[in-house]
Amino acid sequence: QVHVVESGGGLVQAGGSLRLSCAASGNIFSINALGWYRQAPGKQRDLVATIIIGGSTNYADSVTGRFTISTDNTKNTVYLQMNSLKPEDTAVYYCNVRGRTRWGNEYDDWGQGTQVTVSS
């Protein structure tokens, strides 16, 4: 079983910054990709940013140039640095981790989410 835990959400004024963290632990042999998604009230969960280990990053158009995804592979951790925050960035942010367990099975697990609220 793989555990995924996000942290770092909170309340910030428009124009401010926050850094989200997500740590994966448990039966992990490898991590192939990590991502951040968000869901605002009454809306679907949307991609914010993804990173392929050893490969590329991908960002939603709405956050390009403001958000940066990065990893600390030694800690199985992914970060989302969010700058120039806007009220429309308000949402619950979820972390997704994909890879293989020590038994060779693929996993695709989500964290419980962390609330980000941007006031105008």
Side-chain angles (χ1 to χ4, degrees), residues 39-46 90-91:
Q39 187 168 18
K43 296 188 177 181
Q44 66 181 18
R45 188 175 298 186
D46 291 326
T90 295

Side-chain angles (χ1 to χ4, degrees), residues 37-40 43-47 92 94-95 110-112:
Y37 296 73
R38 66 187 181 187
Q39 187 168 18
K43 296 188 177 181
Q44 66 181 18
R45 188 175 298 186
D46 291 326
L47 180 149
V92 178
Y94 295 91
C95 177
W110 295 83
Q112 79 289 347

Side-chain angles (χ1 to χ4, degrees), residues 1-6 21-28 31 34 74-78 95-98 107 109:
Q1 188 176 4
V2 176
H3 302 280
V4 180
V5 179
E6 303 103 333
S21 299
C22 168
S25 62
N27 187 5
I28 295 174
I31 296 177
L34 305 103
T74 65
K75 299 180 181 179
N76 290 341
T77 299
V78 60
C95 177
N96 175 257
V97 183
R98 301 179 182 182
Y107 64 86
D109 287 301

